[in-house]
PDB file of all heavy atoms in Angstrom:
ATOM      1  N   TYR O  17      -4.780   6.829   5.809  1.00 97.00           N
ATOM      2  CA  TYR O  17      -5.002   5.807   6.849  1.00 97.00           C
ATOM      3  C   TYR O  17      -4.784   6.396   8.239  1.00 97.00           C
ATOM      4  O   TYR O  17      -5.557   6.129   9.164  1.00 97.00           O
ATOM      5  CB  TYR O  17      -4.059   4.628   6.646  1.00 97.00           C
ATOM      6  CG  TYR O  17      -4.559   3.572   5.711  1.00 97.00           C
ATOM      7  CD1 TYR O  17      -3.922   3.340   4.493  1.00 97.00           C
ATOM      8  CD2 TYR O  17      -5.654   2.778   6.029  1.00 97.00           C
ATOM      9  CE1 TYR O  17      -4.366   2.364   3.627  1.00 97.00           C
ATOM     10  CE2 TYR O  17      -6.103   1.792   5.168  1.00 97.00           C
ATOM     11  CZ  TYR O  17      -5.458   1.588   3.958  1.00 97.00           C
ATOM     12  OH  TYR O  17      -5.903   0.624   3.107  1.00 97.00           O
ATOM     13  N   HIS O  92       8.137   3.644 -13.628  1.00 79.00           N
ATOM     14  CA  HIS O  92       7.865   3.772 -15.053  1.00 79.00           C
ATOM     15  C   HIS O  92       7.840   2.384 -15.692  1.00 79.00           C
ATOM     16  O   HIS O  92       8.368   1.411 -15.145  1.00 79.00           O
ATOM     17  CB  HIS O  92       8.904   4.668 -15.721  1.00 79.00           C
ATOM     18  CG  HIS O  92       8.807   6.100 -15.292  1.00 79.00           C
ATOM     19  ND1 HIS O  92       7.694   6.865 -15.531  1.00 79.00           N
ATOM     20  CD2 HIS O  92       9.671   6.893 -14.611  1.00 79.00           C
ATOM     21  CE1 HIS O  92       7.879   8.078 -15.031  1.00 79.00           C
ATOM     22  NE2 HIS O  92       9.072   8.113 -14.461  1.00 79.00           N
ATOM     23  N   LEU O  95      10.882  -1.813 -19.251  1.00 92.00           N
ATOM     24  CA  LEU O  95      11.502  -3.024 -18.721  1.00 92.00           C
ATOM     25  C   LEU O  95      12.849  -3.332 -19.368  1.00 92.00           C
ATOM     26  O   LEU O  95      13.479  -4.339 -19.023  1.00 92.00           O
ATOM     27  CB  LEU O  95      10.563  -4.217 -18.920  1.00 92.00           C
ATOM     28  CG  LEU O  95       9.232  -4.154 -18.160  1.00 92.00           C
ATOM     29  CD1 LEU O  95       8.337  -5.321 -18.559  1.00 92.00           C
ATOM     30  CD2 LEU O  95       9.466  -4.137 -16.662  1.00 92.00           C
ATOM     31  N   GLY O 119       4.453 -11.141   7.595  1.00 98.00           N
ATOM     32  CA  GLY O 119       4.631 -12.355   8.391  1.00 98.00           C
ATOM     33  C   GLY O 119       4.777 -12.053   9.865  1.00 98.00           C
ATOM     34  O   GLY O 119       4.206 -12.742  10.721  1.00 98.00           O
ATOM     35  N   SER O 124       2.416 -12.333  15.298  1.00 98.00           N
ATOM     36  CA  SER O 124       2.102 -11.657  16.551  1.00 98.00           C
ATOM     37  C   SER O 124       0.597 -11.651  16.815  1.00 98.00           C
ATOM     38  O   SER O 124       0.145 -11.894  17.941  1.00 98.00           O
ATOM     39  CB  SER O 124       2.647 -10.226  16.497  1.00 98.00           C
ATOM     40  OG  SER O 124       2.413  -9.552  17.711  1.00 98.00           O
ATOM     41  N   LEU O 126      -1.660 -13.718  15.641  1.00 98.00           N
ATOM     42  CA  LEU O 126      -2.124 -15.081  15.944  1.00 98.00           C
ATOM     43  C   LEU O 126      -1.893 -15.421  17.412  1.00 98.00           C
ATOM     44  O   LEU O 126      -2.756 -16.024  18.053  1.00 98.00           O
ATOM     45  CB  LEU O 126      -1.400 -16.097  15.052  1.00 98.00           C
ATOM     46  CG  LEU O 126      -1.981 -16.350  13.667  1.00 98.00           C
ATOM     47  CD1 LEU O 126      -1.053 -17.267  12.883  1.00 98.00           C
ATOM     48  CD2 LEU O 126      -3.381 -16.959  13.756  1.00 98.00           C
ATOM     49  N   THR O 144      -0.992  -5.039 -17.173  1.00 94.00           N
ATOM     50  CA  THR O 144       0.409  -5.400 -17.417  1.00 94.00           C
ATOM     51  C   THR O 144       1.258  -4.184 -17.758  1.00 94.00           C
ATOM     52  O   THR O 144       1.966  -4.166 -18.765  1.00 94.00           O
ATOM     53  CB  THR O 144       0.511  -6.453 -18.549  1.00 94.00           C
ATOM     54  OG1 THR O 144      -0.070  -5.910 -19.751  1.00 94.00           O
ATOM     55  CG2 THR O 144      -0.209  -7.727 -18.190  1.00 94.00           C
ATOM     56  N   GLY O 146       4.209  -2.844 -16.927  1.00 93.00           N
ATOM     57  CA  GLY O 146       5.569  -2.899 -16.444  1.00 93.00           C
ATOM     58  C   GLY O 146       5.729  -3.507 -15.060  1.00 93.00           C
ATOM     59  O   GLY O 146       4.870  -4.235 -14.562  1.00 93.00           O
ATOM     60  N   TYR O 158       0.241 -12.718  -2.819  1.00 98.00           N
ATOM     61  CA  TYR O 158       0.762 -12.964  -1.473  1.00 98.00           C
ATOM     62  C   TYR O 158      -0.338 -12.804  -0.432  1.00 98.00           C
ATOM     63  O   TYR O 158      -0.466 -13.610   0.493  1.00 98.00           O
ATOM     64  CB  TYR O 158       1.918 -12.016  -1.180  1.00 98.00           C
ATOM     65  CG  TYR O 158       2.256 -11.926   0.290  1.00 98.00           C
ATOM     66  CD1 TYR O 158       2.870 -12.987   0.955  1.00 98.00           C
ATOM     67  CD2 TYR O 158       1.942 -10.780   1.029  1.00 98.00           C
ATOM     68  CE1 TYR O 158       3.160 -12.913   2.312  1.00 98.00           C
ATOM     69  CE2 TYR O 158       2.236 -10.698   2.379  1.00 98.00           C
ATOM     70  CZ  TYR O 158       2.841 -11.768   3.018  1.00 98.00           C
ATOM     71  OH  TYR O 158       3.117 -11.687   4.358  1.00 98.00           O
ATOM     72  N   TRP O 180      -7.071   5.285  -9.322  1.00 78.00           N
ATOM     73  CA  TRP O 180      -6.378   6.567  -9.225  1.00 78.00           C
ATOM     74  C   TRP O 180      -6.903   7.330  -8.007  1.00 78.00           C
ATOM     75  O   TRP O 180      -8.060   7.720  -7.960  1.00 78.00           O
ATOM     76  CB  TRP O 180      -6.599   7.381 -10.494  1.00 78.00           C
ATOM     77  CG  TRP O 180      -5.930   6.778 -11.692  1.00 78.00           C
ATOM     78  CD1 TRP O 180      -6.374   5.713 -12.417  1.00 78.00           C
ATOM     79  CD2 TRP O 180      -4.709   7.170 -12.287  1.00 78.00           C
ATOM     80  NE1 TRP O 180      -5.506   5.429 -13.428  1.00 78.00           N
ATOM     81  CE2 TRP O 180      -4.467   6.309 -13.381  1.00 78.00           C
ATOM     82  CE3 TRP O 180      -3.786   8.179 -12.015  1.00 78.00           C
ATOM     83  CZ2 TRP O 180      -3.343   6.432 -14.193  1.00 78.00           C
ATOM     84  CZ3 TRP O 180      -2.671   8.309 -12.835  1.00 78.00           C
ATOM     85  CH2 TRP O 180      -2.452   7.435 -13.903  1.00 78.00           C
ATOM     86  N   PRO O 197     -10.186  11.566 -16.910  1.00 52.00           N
ATOM     87  CA  PRO O 197     -11.507  12.095 -16.561  1.00 52.00           C
ATOM     88  C   PRO O 197     -11.758  12.004 -15.064  1.00 52.00           C
ATOM     89  O   PRO O 197     -11.187  11.158 -14.368  1.00 52.00           O
ATOM     90  CB  PRO O 197     -12.466  11.178 -17.341  1.00 52.00           C
ATOM     91  CG  PRO O 197     -11.699   9.911 -17.528  1.00 52.00           C
ATOM     92  CD  PRO O 197     -10.262  10.313 -17.677  1.00 52.00           C
TER      93      PRO O 197
END
Side-chain angles (χ1 to χ4, degrees):
Y17 273 114
H92 292 298
L95 296 174
S124 182
L126 275 174
T144 59
Y158 164 71
W180 292 78

